[in-house]
Amino acid sequence: MKLLFAGPTLPKAQVHDANITVRGPAGQGDIFRAVEGGATVIGIVDGAFEYTAPVWHKEILYALSAGATVLGAASMGALRAAECHSFGMIGVGRIFKDYLEGIRVDDSDVAQIHGPAELGWLPLSEPLVNVTATLDLLLEGQLLSSAEAIQLQATAEAIFFKARTWRSILKRTPNIRADRSTSISIALQTCRVNQKRADAMELVAIMSRLDAQRSATKPDWEFQRTTLWNDMLKHHLMAKDPGHLS
């Protein structure tokens, strides 16, 4: 079974592969439950954070030790792929590479607020990774000067991720004349880059080509069942069957 965790970065309707089951952003325990449920290929794009415990590195290692293929891209998936790359997790896309190479180090660069599942995970802010990619394209097309690109990037970095939108960036950037702000806004209508979406689509394409079988080859490291892991397992079993451990 192929399973993809995605939300605002890649709404379910954009995953055109009937062999891939799409669930919402992954929270702590979801990857463990996916493995126990028979998942063989697991893609992580979006993940829960702030008010919900995020995907635990340990459960990714558990999935890899069980022979599952685990891929990550775009958002929480890119972060976890960069952190678990040396253990066999597969990272995809520009954002993953930036974290892996240390070009990016701040988790909030991919963060954005969004609506609930009932509203299709409607994005309500602009993640910094998309801002950077867009400014690069505008600069390459000579629609921005180098000085303007630097100023806009600095402003975007200074805005809290929940309040970061192109309107707030343009409004708060000093030394951008009103006529230039208007010109940039017009350029954004056709040149805005959604790097997170592009990376997520690349991950889906790779998942589509993968064989949905678990690997029989054991990793060159051993999964350690720590006290915290055993506690999580106990809670999971009790949730499935309250009388199991009584």
Side-chain angles (χ1 to χ4, degrees), residues 23 27-38 56 59 62 225 227-245:
R23 294 182 184 170
Q28 189 175 98
D30 284 340
I31 305 305
F32 168 75
R33 285 186 284 271
V35 175
E36 294 298 290
W56 193 15
E59 58 189 305
Y62 175 72
R225 294 180 176 272
T227 301
L228 286 176
W229 176 260
N230 290 332
D231 286 345
M232 188 279 292
L233 182 60
K234 183 186 300 183
H235 289 311
H236 171 72
L237 291 174
M238 289 182 67
K240 288 180 65 178
D241 181 3
H244 183 84
L245 296 175

Side-chain angles (χ1 to χ4, degrees), residues 86-147:
S86 60
F87 294 94
M89 185 173 178
I90 300 171
V92 178
R94 171 180 172 176
I95 297 168
F96 156 71
K97 291 178 182 177
D98 283 351
Y99 279 113
L100 183 66
E101 296 171 1
I103 296 173
R104 291 190 182 278
V105 296
D106 197 328
D107 291 6
S108 67
D109 288 4
V110 295
Q112 68 180 145
I113 56 171
H114 54 80
E118 292 77 10
L119 295 178
W121 307 106
L122 179 68
L124 299 173
S125 65
E126 195 72 17
L128 189 62
V129 290
N130 286 356
V131 173
T132 302
T134 299
L135 293 177
D136 287 346
L137 183 62
L138 291 175
L139 188 58
E140 181 181 341
Q142 299 184 339
L143 297 172
L144 279 181
S145 69
S146 295

Side-chain angles (χ1 to χ4, degrees), residues 132-236:
T132 302
T134 299
L135 293 177
D136 287 346
L137 183 62
L138 291 175
L139 188 58
E140 181 181 341
Q142 299 184 339
L143 297 172
L144 279 181
S145 69
S146 295
E148 288 173 333
I150 291 172
Q151 290 175 335
L152 289 165
Q153 178 73 27
T155 299
E157 291 174 357
I159 298 175
F160 183 51
F161 80 90
K162 292 184 178 181
R164 187 189 298 119
T165 63
W166 278 109
R167 177 175 294 182
S168 67
I169 294 169
L170 289 170
K171 183 177 180 180
R172 300 186 192 185
T173 302
N175 305 320
I176 299 288
R177 304 190 314 270
D179 61 322
R180 285 298 299 144
S181 181
T182 300
S183 297
I184 295 170
S185 295
I186 293 173
L188 287 171
Q189 295 176 18
T190 56
C191 296
R192 187 177 300 184
V193 177
N194 191 330
Q195 190 63 48
K196 289 180 69 172
R197 184 74 48 84
D199 286 5
M201 290 299 293
E202 185 179 347
L203 180 144
V204 170
I206 294 174
M207 286 185 68
S208 296
R209 297 193 297 267
L210 289 174
D211 181 27
Q213 298 292 328
R214 289 192 181 176
S215 173
T217 304
K218 296 296 183 180
D220 58 2
W221 47 268
E222 183 178 350
F223 181 77
Q224 299 294 322
R225 294 180 176 272
T226 63
T227 301
L228 286 176
W229 176 260
N230 290 332
D231 286 345
M232 188 279 292
L233 182 60
K234 183 186 300 183
H235 289 311
H236 171 72

